[in-house]
């Protein structure tokens, strides 16, 4: 059965007239199809891999925008099967459904409402892949999405995909794409991959360097880096789906980033493009590190604006120092990095995690994959950046002691976060003690050191000097 006029209006044409929007959307889709060599009758196949908050929202946005053009594009999302939903979550989901008349009507029309009633009463167990088909992401229950085509077989999802959207946490990217590579062995043409993951690993053997999700995908699949792109914020997934104005940046080769930026761009979601893939990707992981500490400070000081500002001054000075190690022209990263940091501190899951740890509502023993939130990427990023910047071969001259030290010695907040989150030597309160340490230098000094010394280490990102 085709969509009703109500569905068409709500899902596709909310930002303008039907005729003008429909024309421009179809033109953008046709341009991308042509670039990818698609013939008439052969739909462009787009699949999201991973159904966390941002991965689900990104796929749902594509479905909302282009899903009505069924003969030209097929959009679906993969998530693992078998994840059951507890009764408390089912009860909350039922409340969300009944608070939204449009969602309630949609479920009744699809004959899907009764199963949520049964789950609310404890007479039925719901599964994450099951509710995703109805437009509910387990990590973002309060924000209903559009219904989606959900595939639980990874092989079925990706084997013929033209565009793959990586919505997996960085900690899972390598493993899943190694499995995907087995299904692509006989492919003649390579897919295009857009990675949304914000996280890094440290590779310490031979020569210390950062490993990013796009590099993990390249190593796992053999897909050339030219076909792998990174899309980053600043943004909050639920707000983007609710059409709050947002910017994003897609980074990678000019062949794909420019047409994809045009394809993804909407009235409320402006996508720019940039050629510096790896550096922007690393910065997306770096801000999560300091967001956890910001959450701790907020909770420990009862939301003191002054204390949060002091922390922001120190953490941004460390971030600026680190960008001078990683980027030849770090000034170009200042705006995107600070903006992404700002939104993450305001409403991101990493800041939320830091707050809950400091309040005692969460314990480190619970791990970094938290019910209702998903993977807390900043935890593994703390470990990666600390280990990387502890390497003696990267030593810089200490401004006061006048002797070579590992770069991490000039990043006291990163050091303290490592001892709290990874070594577990201190409770979260230690971050506040570090901030109030009389020996803490003026953050301006750290920035001045970074700007006045040749710190850039191209090998950290796998670049040639």
């Amino acid at each position: 059965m085709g969509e009703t006029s109500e569905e068409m209006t709500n899902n596709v044409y909310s930002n303008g007239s039907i005729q003008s929007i429909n024309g421009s959307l179809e033109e953008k889709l046709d341009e991308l199809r042509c670039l990818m060599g698609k013939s008439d009758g052969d739909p462009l196949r787009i699949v999201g891999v991973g159904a966390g908050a941002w991965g689900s929202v990104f796929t749902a946005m594509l479905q909302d925008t282009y899903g009505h053009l069924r003969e030209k594009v097929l959009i679906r999302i993969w998530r693992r099967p078998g994840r059951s939903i507890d009764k408390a979550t089912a009860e909350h989901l039922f409340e969300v459904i009944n608070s939204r008349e449009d969602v309630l009507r949609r479920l009744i029309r699809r004959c899907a409402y009764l199963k949520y009633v049964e789950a609310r009463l404890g007479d039925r167990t719901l599964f994450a892949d099951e509710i995703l088909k109805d437009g509910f992401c387990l990590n973002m229950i309060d924000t209903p999405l559009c219904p989606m085509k959900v595939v639980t077989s990874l092989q079925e999802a990706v084997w013929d995909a033209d565009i793959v959207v990586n919505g997996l946490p960085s900690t899972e990217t390598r493993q899943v794409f190694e499995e995907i590579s087995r299904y692509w062995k006989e492919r003649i043409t390579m897919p295009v991959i857009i990675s949304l993951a914000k996280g890094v690993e440290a590779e310490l053997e031979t020569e210390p360097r950062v490993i990013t999700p796009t590099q993990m995908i390249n190593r796992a699949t053999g897909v050339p880096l030219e076909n792998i792109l990174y899309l980053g914020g600043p943004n909050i997934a639920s707000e983007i789906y609710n059409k709050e104005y947002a910017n994003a940046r897609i980074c990678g080769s000019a062949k794909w980033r420019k047409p994809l930026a045009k394809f993804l761009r909407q009235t409320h979601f402006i996508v720019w493009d940039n050629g510096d893939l790896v550096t922007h990707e690393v910065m997306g992981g770096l801000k999560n590190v300091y967001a956890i500490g910001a959450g701790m400070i907020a909770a420990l000081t009862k939301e003191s604006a002054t204390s949060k500002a002091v922390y922001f001054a120190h953490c941004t000075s460390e971030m600026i120092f680190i960008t001078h190690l990683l980027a030849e022209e770090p000034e170009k990263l200042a705006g995107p990095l600070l903006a992404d940091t700002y939104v993450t501190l305001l409403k991101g899951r990493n800041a939320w995690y830091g707050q809950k740890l400091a309040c005692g509502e969460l314990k480190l023993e619970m791990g970094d994959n938290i019910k209702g939130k998903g993977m807390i990427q900043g935890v593994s990023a703390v470990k990666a950046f600390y280990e990387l910047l502890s390497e003696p071969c990267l030593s810089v001259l200490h401004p006061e002691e006048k002797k070579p030290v590992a770069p991490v010695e000039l990043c006291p907040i990163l050091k303290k976060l490592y001892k709290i989150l990874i070594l577990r030597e201190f409770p979260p309160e230690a971050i506040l003690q570090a901030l109030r340490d009389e020996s803490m230098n003026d953050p301006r000094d750290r920035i001045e050191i970074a700007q006045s010394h040749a710190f850039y280490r191209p090998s950290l990102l796998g670049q040639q000097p």
Side-chain angles (χ1 to χ4, degrees):
M1 182 182 293
E3 287 176 300
T4 66
S5 59
E6 176 191 8
E7 288 172 321
M8 292 284 281
T9 302
N10 288 342
N11 290 345
V12 183
Y13 309 125
S14 57
N15 290 323
S17 68
I18 291 178
Q19 185 175 3
S20 62
I21 292 294
N22 186 48
S24 61
L25 288 175
E26 194 159 0
E27 288 169 8
K28 290 197 294 184
L29 178 56
D30 285 342
E31 287 179 20
L32 187 59
R33 283 174 49 83
C34 181
L35 186 62
M36 302 201 76
K38 304 298 289 186
S39 58
D40 291 344
D42 182 16
L44 181 71
R45 292 170 172 82
I46 302 175
V47 60
V49 174
W54 186 207
S56 296
V57 162
F58 192 85
T59 305
M61 285 171 57
L62 292 175
Q63 178 65 34
D64 271 340
T65 307
Y66 294 104
H68 66 292
L69 299 168
R70 295 184 184 89
E71 294 182 358
K72 294 188 175 185
V73 65
L74 174 63
I75 300 164
R76 52 195 173 184
I77 187 168
W78 171 83
R79 74 152 293 137
R80 294 180 181 88
R83 176 72 181 274
S84 61
I85 296 172
D86 60 39
K87 189 172 184 294
T89 303
E91 290 173 348
H92 180 52
L93 178 55
F94 187 73
E95 292 173 0
V96 172
I97 291 169
N98 285 288
S99 70
R100 292 277 299 267
E101 184 178 336
D102 58 330
V103 176
L104 183 60
R105 288 183 179 276
R106 186 182 78 204
L107 291 175
I108 293 173
R109 192 163 52 242
R110 291 163 59 95
C111 301
Y113 181 64
L114 182 58
K115 65 185 177 186
Y116 293 98
V117 176
E118 293 173 342
R120 163 68 179 81
L121 297 173
D123 297 335
R124 175 177 181 153
T125 299
L126 293 172
F127 293 90
D129 58 286
E130 177 185 13
I131 67 170
L132 187 60
K133 294 176 183 178
D134 293 325
F136 302 107
C137 171
L138 184 58
N139 293 343
M140 201 173 56
I141 292 293
D142 291 315
T143 304
L145 309 174
C146 64
M148 286 187 279
K149 171 67 175 176
V150 179
V151 182
T152 55
S153 164
L154 185 59
Q155 181 175 7
E156 179 187 345
V158 305
W159 76 273
D160 61 348
D162 300 299
I163 298 175
V164 175
V165 179
N166 175 34
L168 296 162
S170 59
T171 48
E172 298 179 21
T173 294
R174 187 194 309 274
Q175 179 184 357
V176 173
F177 275 87
E178 284 175 350
E179 182 178 349
I180 288 174
S181 70
R182 302 204 299 268
Y183 311 135
W184 285 350
K185 285 182 178 177
E186 298 181 6
R187 285 193 67 132
I188 298 173
T189 58
M190 287 291 103
V192 172
I193 300 170
I194 303 171
S195 180
L196 311 178
K198 296 178 176 69
V200 299
E201 292 181 0
E203 188 172 76
L204 305 178
E205 294 181 6
T206 310
E207 194 166 27
R209 58 173 297 191
V210 176
I211 302 297
T212 66
T214 61
Q215 292 168 330
M216 296 175 199
I217 293 169
N218 167 252
R219 289 182 177 187
T221 64
V223 173
L225 280 172
E226 180 188 55
N227 280 37
I228 307 175
L229 302 101
Y230 163 72
L231 187 136
N235 46 58
I236 297 295
S238 60
E239 293 185 351
I240 290 178
Y241 195 75
N242 288 328
K243 292 184 167 39
E244 297 290 339
Y245 181 80
N247 296 135
R249 184 173 283 100
I250 191 164
C251 305
S253 67
K255 177 182 178 181
W256 294 114
R257 74 174 190 267
K258 291 184 179 296
L260 284 171
K262 183 177 180 181
F263 177 71
L264 297 172
R265 189 175 298 126
Q266 300 182 34
T267 304
H268 68 283
F269 185 62
I270 304 303
V271 182
W272 298 313
D273 69 277
N274 189 280
D276 191 353
L277 182 153
V278 174
T279 311
H280 280 87
E281 194 177 13
V282 171
M283 296 304 107
L286 182 61
K287 52 90 179 177
N288 286 334
V289 168
Y290 292 95
I292 295 177
M296 292 176 178
I297 293 292
L300 293 168
T301 64
K302 294 181 171 53
E303 298 289 342
S304 162
T306 301
S307 295
K308 289 193 289 187
V310 171
Y311 176 83
F312 190 73
H314 283 287
C315 81
T316 52
S317 73
E318 288 191 18
M319 294 167 76
I320 291 169
F321 174 75
I322 292 170
T323 59
H324 277 74
L325 287 165
L326 296 169
E328 188 171 12
E329 299 178 289
E331 294 78 11
K332 293 182 178 180
L333 297 168
L337 177 58
L338 290 177
D340 212 356
T341 302
Y342 180 64
V343 75
T344 304
L345 266 56
L346 283 176
K347 203 173 179 180
R349 76 182 69 179
N350 289 277
W352 171 89
Y353 179 71
Q355 282 188 309
K356 296 302 181 183
L357 283 179
C359 291
E361 295 179 32
L362 292 177
K363 302 292 183 184
L364 289 171
E365 294 74 20
M366 297 169 67
D368 51 8
N369 196 339
I370 305 299
K371 173 187 168 184
K373 287 290 182 179
M375 184 63 68
I376 308 300
Q377 301 269 28
V379 177
S380 61
V382 166
K383 182 175 186 291
F385 279 108
Y386 179 90
E387 290 178 349
L388 188 73
L389 300 180
S390 296
E391 287 293 298
C393 64
L394 301 175
S395 292
V396 297
L397 187 66
H398 194 287
E400 295 177 353
E401 299 177 9
K402 303 302 180 184
K403 66 178 183 180
V405 295
V408 77
E409 296 302 321
L410 297 178
C411 301
I413 293 176
L414 175 59
K415 284 181 64 177
K416 190 63 71 174
L417 286 171
Y418 181 79
K419 291 179 179 180
I420 294 171
L421 297 170
I422 308 302
L423 298 182
R424 303 182 184 179
E425 291 180 353
F426 298 104
E429 290 78 9
I431 191 72
L432 194 57
Q433 296 166 6
L435 203 63
R436 293 172 174 170
D437 191 331
E438 291 183 6
S439 66
M440 282 282 273
N441 291 328
D442 185 333
R444 173 183 174 277
D445 295 340
R446 190 175 296 105
I447 297 172
E448 190 174 304
I449 293 165
Q451 292 176 336
S452 61
H453 292 71
F455 282 162
Y456 174 49
R457 303 286 194 276
S459 60
L460 284 173
L461 298 185
Q463 317 260 348
Q464 294 299 319

